[in-house]
Amino acid sequence: LQYKVDLRQKIRRIALQGTVTGASLRPDGQELALLVYRKIYFFSLKNSLREISRPDICLPAWQMRQTEAICYAGKDSLLMSNEQGSLYLIKRK
């Protein structure tokens, strides 16, 4: 597979507090998680990425220090890592 990246083609701009260091789309395509250093923002995706504006949930992640990456590990859990090399499992209640 080959991909062509066009950085001039932005999907959306979202105002958040902090620098986004990671993003992940839930496997079913219904939720987007954006990671900043001390928070995780969750957005419900009803139709497309172009329609999101405000997060539905903001989860504090300050205990995990300088977080760098996030990915879904199924519908109800995520994996998150930090600069210190720790890996965290986050499960939805």
Side-chain angles (χ1 to χ4, degrees), residues 5-22:
V5 178
D6 184 355
L7 297 177
R8 298 168 294 176
Q9 192 173 2
K10 292 181 183 176
I11 293 176
R12 182 106 179 125
R13 182 174 177 87
I14 304 166
L16 298 174
Q17 292 182 350
T19 302
V20 175
T21 60

Side-chain angles (χ1 to χ4, degrees), residues 26-28 30-31 42 72-78 90 92:
R26 196 167 70 191
D28 65 6
Q30 297 298 305
E31 187 174 76
F42 294 92
Y72 278 90
K75 184 177 178 183
D76 295 322
S77 60
L78 295 108
I90 301 165
R92 189 179 303 264

Side-chain angles (χ1 to χ4, degrees), residues 8-55:
R8 298 168 294 176
Q9 192 173 2
K10 292 181 183 176
I11 293 176
R12 182 106 179 125
R13 182 174 177 87
I14 304 166
L16 298 174
Q17 292 182 350
T19 302
V20 175
T21 60
S24 186
L25 186 62
R26 196 167 70 191
D28 65 6
Q30 297 298 305
E31 187 174 76
L32 174 69
L34 293 181
L35 177 67
V36 300
Y37 280 139
R38 304 214 181 250
K39 295 178 185 174
I40 306 169
Y41 293 100
F42 294 92
F43 297 85
S44 293
L45 301 179
K46 306 272 190 279
N47 297 315
S48 76
L49 288 171
R50 295 181 189 277
E51 296 182 16
I52 61 174
S53 59
R54 294 186 349 197

